[in-house]
Amino acid sequence: MFFASDNTSGVPVQILDALSRANGDFVAGYGNDPINLALRDRIRDLFDAPKAEVFLVATGSAANALAIASYCPPWGAVFCHELAHINVDECGAPEFFSNGAKIVPVPGAGAKLTPQALDQALMRAGKGGVHQVQPALVSLTNLTECGTRYTVDELRTLCATARAHGLPVHLDGARFTNALVTQGCSPAEYTWQAGVDVLSLGGTKNGLMGVEAVVMFDPAQAWEFQLRRKRGGHLLSKNRYLAAQMLAWLEGDLWLTLAAHANHMAAMLEDGLRQQKDAKVLFERGGNMLFVDLPRSSHRALHGAGAQYFLWPDHASLDGPPDMPVAGRLVTSWCTTKEQIEEFLEALGKI
Amino acid sequence: MFFASDNTSGVPVQILDALSRANGDFVAGYGNDPINLALRDRIRDLFDAPKAEVFLVATGSAANALAIASYCPPWGAVFCHELAHINVDECGAPEFFSNGAKIVPVPGAGAKLTPQALDQALMRAGKGGVHQVQPALVSLTNLTECGTRYTVDELRTLCATARAHGLPVHLDGARFTNALVTQGCSPAEYTWQAGVDVLSLGGTKNGLMGVEAVVMFDPAQAWEFQLRRKRGGHLLSKNRYLAAQMLAWLEGDLWLTLAAHANHMAAMLEDGLRQQKDAKVLFERGGNMLFVDLPRSSHRALHGAGAQYFLWPDHASLDGPPDMPVAGRLVTSWCTTKEQIEEFLEALGKI
Amino acid sequence: MFFASDNTSGVPVQILDALSRANGDFVAGYGNDPINLALRDRIRDLFDAPKAEVFLVATGSAANALAIASYCPPWGAVFCHELAHINVDECGAPEFFSNGAKIVPVPGAGAKLTPQALDQALMRAGKGGVHQVQPALVSLTNLTECGTRYTVDELRTLCATARAHGLPVHLDGARFTNALVTQGCSPAEYTWQAGVDVLSLGGTKNGLMGVEAVVMFDPAQAWEFQLRRKRGGHLLSKNRYLAAQMLAWLEGDLWLTLAAHANHMAAMLEDGLRQQKDAKVLFERGGNMLFVDLPRSSHRALHGAGAQYFLWPDHASLDGPPDMPVAGRLVTSWCTTKEQIEEFLEALGKI
Amino acid sequence: MFFASDNTSGVPVQILDALSRANGDFVAGYGNDPINLALRDRIRDLFDAPKAEVFLVATGSAANALAIASYCPPWGAVFCHELAHINVDECGAPEFFSNGAKIVPVPGAGAKLTPQALDQALMRAGKGGVHQVQPALVSLTNLTECGTRYTVDELRTLCATARAHGLPVHLDGARFTNALVTQGCSPAEYTWQAGVDVLSLGGTKNGLMGVEAVVMFDPAQAWEFQLRRKRGGHLLSKNRYLAAQMLAWLEGDLWLTLAAHANHMAAMLEDGLRQQKDAKVLFERGGNMLFVDLPRSSHRALHGAGAQYFLWPDHASLDGPPDMPVAGRLVTSWCTTKEQIEEFLEALGKI
């Protein structure tokens, strides 16, 4: 019963097979190999973006921070939701890579930005005044940190708001595929056609060993990005092993299948939880993450039964009155099984 | 005939097997898994260093830059050979991770520092004066950039020189194993017993997909290192896949076997080159790298025959008088074959 | 009628005289001169802090940012009020000098932190987790950005809260003297005895040309600070001209006299405003700053009559319904005259 | 007998008078005052550069580092002489302000770059390769660190070399006026007409308290510069006091008169030294700095007689054989007197 994170799971056999196939002879390093070329073309096709540039790194923090730094100068401000991963979970990676840019947290229910809140924050940002950091970038997350999902329309409006203030848009897509498969639109509609300039396309949380692609729909920043990637120690010499994984993942819709399964497991879990009278599901589920209020005593019992997951928010604690509800964060994965869901719900039902 | 770099090769089957074995169930992320624990213990054993801390990253530049930044403040100076990878081949990664430290290049034949040159550079460094960056760290490379090797005695004397100036020592060991197997000493003798404080232990160039370990013999900087690694985007969530590779590599002396093979192939190549009258081997070979002066016409013919390698130094060119010798850099790998060596020598012999 | 800021005023004649006296012969540069020595001793005496180190810079942003960087690593977090100058008015100087530390804004009425809000923010800060920036410093401002003032007791409790979390305390004292003279305590009681570790002692807003002292009550960070100051381009070679100004300012209580006058002018202005039925004074005045709600039409009339001051907050605007009140920020100075106050109140009275 | 540096002198009475005149009423802060406007126009006139932007800071290190950072990205390389102040005397300020750019030291006799050495360094710089920092800027110094001077032709050729590689040129003019008055050309000929893009125009070493102007002949980087200046803590609020000094300095050729006097004193000193048989003047004097080899015993006697100056280079020492010559660096100033020169030469003659 492992619901702590989708990054604690393994990888499907297709990925191991792809690594074997990629192995073998000498090939040029640093991404100048045929597999990387094929991957780039595959992503261009899938996103209907023939000029997009694609760069691989091994972590989501690297993808986000490098993308952000390529669009935001040291004296710039990045506007994002106050719960965004880049703001609270990357130990200041965006500040480090941008050399001290400021992340401006914007509030919003369910970790979603609203155009109103974003516009207000941008109006107050002090653009043009030498005493204030200068608005440089909007960063959205989809799925959000609360597991909610932006619709295509919502995304379009937010990007238009950013654009009205002259700002480009970054999309943190650590769980992009989980959002995409439920939203049921094309990758293009869900990114550049809605106004996204640069995407962190996450593979790790959806079945890869540690592969993330930065997709730059506008290649203007591509050379700067490459220098930043190298300088950041994120240009792997044996790059084929990253590309091979992601290429296999994109073949035959494997990426979609994996995400759809994780989402389906979350739906099952949600259904079960909604039937428990002490459980209160907190946000509108957008993919494979659930947040649920449970009495502290229930959390203790579930943990005792072997369920692994985090309380939410991070500083929440099981110390305190047993009846007092506290939220738990439950994340399903491409390899979560129906049996694990049933076991969890059963354990909860017994309490 | 691929002699461009040892990082263009694949990985041995044992590594693929190790990935398969590591796959499977959910495990805790970010290095808190049993494989990482086992790897740490294995390295502590091999290096006879029970308190050492071990941290994995995916590139050598990350290992070097994070290690350096953990020992060198922004206003510090790192002393290294002028040809050191950290000085010329990492696009300023050490400067980036240290937030602007200065690399002070020191000359020396065959890319080796001498105690005299190091001492002189340190004497001139302006320690204690507020107008100068402050000496903070010595960084050595073994094998060096010219393929030469430090003896244990040389290493010990250089570390003592650093220590006499109050400085710790970093060892860039991208090709540490290639040096070790020829030197024929223990890992401990070749590192902390000689005075090395922190080692970048390279796996990538000796048969891994992209795995480097930073081994901190003194754990005092370990927490800072971990924060820097996370902040640098270098903490892989599915860390087990890094650890599994390196653990398999260290099992049953695989790492030594692979490096010994590469060195043996380089020895064969060297023997053949020394019999060619137009070829002049440039440095004392320490492991799996060779530098050889050849007439430009020979280089052209070899390239024409399919040999892949770089000229040296980087700005060298085949433009110019055909008889004028230019250096080529030839690197062998764990999977270089006797046939490839023979083919190369044969092609050269025909010229 | 110049109430825009106390940094738009000139300097008293004593400061010009001090510059003349300091002029003349050759003296050692970079602060190694007798006037700097005398100033250091004078500050040690005044603050009853015989081991304090004193370093001069020419701007408040430099004083704050250098002090903060000396106590906060790149992966650290600085906790301050959300309106603090370091958070909103220094174009990211603390982020720049600390190489990317994070400023964590904490809310509080009248720009004052409460121990509760500070404690809550620190509890939630994720200390010890590698994914979060690590709490490193609390920065307080006195006078605050809303012109309010901490009492000695309030300061002591806030510092104790910081200390309970293991954090040192920085005090931004751009208007320290204005707070001090009204508070009526000793400089020591108002700083290190209350728990402040490092003080930005502002001279510029109280009658100097551009002189701020960083007073380190604990000299442990003094050498690092000096290197940071030099590296930041803030070590003036002809340092005597900074020291001479501040020494004259501290002689015969000139600093206190100047601040007391500014505060007195603000009191007069406040008295007058409180008698206007359309005016609403917003915060409890702590020194020489006033915030007052007035109808937009009144602001327009006052501006028309020649009064110079800013609306508050920065993004406030005179566009909109004339009756709708908007806040103005009125700052008095050491050289504000009774006539200027009367003229302003008269202009307002006529509306 | 104070020959340690021209930054240990005071300021002429005209500067004190200018401060008095600038004092008085409230004026807008941060450089938006009439004196700054007048200064900008005066510099535009003097340099025949109607579009130039002028920004003031209080130190030469700030001027250099901010100018460099505005033209050199973090992954950029700055090419300068190995003895340049930016390379050896600013505690890494350029690296700090540029966020880790690399300074590439180029050798050359008398601290002067030659077009050949510069071209060779640029040819080897690895432009276009992702593993190397990218050439971004050439920085020249005039007067050089050895007190030599570039002719207009030399400057023009060096700038053309930079331009041929696509690089802009920064001129560190801490002693620009000393070079200018001896060279006998116009400020325009000696800067932008020769190919200089941005000038650090030093006032401090030629009679000001701490005022340096960054003159951007091409204003394209002006807004970025202003944000960097603020963020660096180098935007003084009471900016008029900087501008007033420099404006007075530029009035009636005061700046030229002061520098000409300093140069004249150096010429006297040089004449005297050339008549001493044990003294060997080292470089061709370009202005107000002299380097002279003297026996250690002579240095000791001169120091004993009260002469103040530094040995050169920094790590030189008086320990050792008394007859062995060591270089001394002698700098004259706008206020050095004929009597001081005579006293020095007399003391030397007695040895």
Side-chain angles (χ1 to χ4, degrees), chain C:
Chain C
M1 294 192 290
F2 221 105
F3 303 105
S5 176
D6 32 9
N7 65 23
T8 59
S9 60
V11 305
V13 68
Q14 293 94 323
I15 303 308
L16 290 169
D17 289 349
L19 288 175
S20 288
R21 280 197 311 272
N23 203 27
D25 215 0
F26 292 94
V27 301
Y30 302 110
N32 303 310
D33 60 83
I35 309 179
N36 266 280
L37 197 67
L39 173 65
R40 192 198 63 181
D41 289 345
R42 175 78 175 131
I43 288 180
R44 286 179 171 182
D45 275 359
L46 276 169
F47 282 82
D48 197 15
K51 288 182 182 169
E53 291 291 350
V54 176
F55 302 110
L56 300 179
V57 293
T59 72
S61 291
N64 288 338
L66 285 167
I68 287 168
S70 298
Y71 285 88
C72 181
W75 54 87
V78 182
F79 293 79
C80 66
H81 192 276
E82 60 191 0
L83 295 177
H85 203 264
I86 60 167
N87 190 37
V88 298
D89 278 318
E90 300 185 351
C91 198
E95 288 92 341
F96 173 49
F97 279 86
S98 66
N99 298 117
K102 201 174 189 77
I103 296 184
V104 178
V106 181
K112 289 173 78 170
L113 286 188
T114 63
Q116 293 73 24
L118 178 59
D119 188 60
Q120 190 178 49
L122 289 168
M123 294 288 284
R124 293 181 173 180
K127 190 175 177 181
V130 81
H131 303 284
Q132 281 80 42
V133 290
Q134 299 296 296
L137 184 68
V138 170
S139 180
L140 305 173
T141 311
N142 201 18
L143 297 187
T144 74
E145 292 297 316
C146 288
T148 55
R149 191 178 71 242
Y150 289 109
T151 65
V152 174
D153 274 354
E154 287 171 338
L155 208 60
R156 202 181 289 129
T157 314
L158 284 165
C159 291
T161 305
R163 200 72 64 200
H165 289 270
L167 303 191
V169 176
H170 165 249
L171 183 65
D172 178 357
R175 294 186 180 93
F176 177 78
T177 323
N178 300 92
L180 181 71
V181 293
T182 306
Q183 187 61 27
C185 60
S186 76
E189 287 173 301
Y190 219 25
T191 55
W192 68 268
Q193 290 180 358
V196 171
D197 296 272
V198 58
L199 166 70
S200 298
L201 174 60
T204 311
K205 284 175 170 151
N206 190 30
L208 302 186
M209 289 184 184
V211 188
E212 312 275 314
V214 173
V215 184
M216 306 186 102
F217 296 109
D218 172 354
Q221 300 302 99
W223 176 232
E224 175 175 333
F225 183 93
Q226 288 182 79
L227 289 161
R228 288 187 180 276
R229 179 175 57 160
K230 172 65 196 182
R231 181 176 175 77
H234 286 292
L235 175 57
L236 273 73
S237 55
K238 296 184 174 176
N239 222 284
R240 59 172 139 170
Y241 296 110
L242 296 184
Q245 290 184 63
M246 192 166 262
L247 190 58
W249 186 71
L250 292 174
E251 267 167 16
D253 291 344
L254 177 61
W255 64 316
L256 305 177
T257 308
L258 296 172
H261 175 83
N263 291 5
H264 182 53
M265 291 299 103
M268 269 190 65
L269 186 55
E270 185 181 9
D271 288 347
L273 286 168
R274 289 198 182 276
Q275 290 165 30
Q276 299 282 338
K277 78 170 181 336
D278 279 349
K280 187 182 159 206
V281 174
L282 289 184
F283 307 110
E284 186 176 0
R285 185 180 56 79
N288 66 324
M289 294 174 84
L290 276 174
F291 292 77
V292 60
D293 264 350
L294 289 170
R296 280 196 174 90
S297 54
S298 300
H299 285 301
R300 281 191 208 112
L302 284 164
H303 283 173
Q308 300 203 25
Y309 58 91
F310 292 107
L311 298 183
W312 184 85
D314 281 350
H315 56 272
S317 159
L318 286 187
D319 299 338
D323 291 351
M324 171 91 78
V326 171
R329 188 190 82 148
L330 302 165
V331 191
T332 56
S333 167
W334 69 271
C335 60
T336 302
T337 61
K338 197 183 288 198
E339 290 70 29
Q340 289 162 347
I341 303 293
E342 288 166 354
E343 188 186 356
F344 183 90
L345 291 172
E346 204 177 324
L348 185 59
K350 280 187 192 151
I351 296 166

Side-chain angles (χ1 to χ4, degrees), chain B residues 132-150:
Chain B
Q132 280 80 41
V133 289
Q134 299 295 297
L137 184 68
V138 170
S139 180
L140 305 173
T141 311
N142 201 17
L143 296 189
T144 72
E145 292 297 316
C146 288
T148 56
R149 190 178 72 241
Y150 289 109

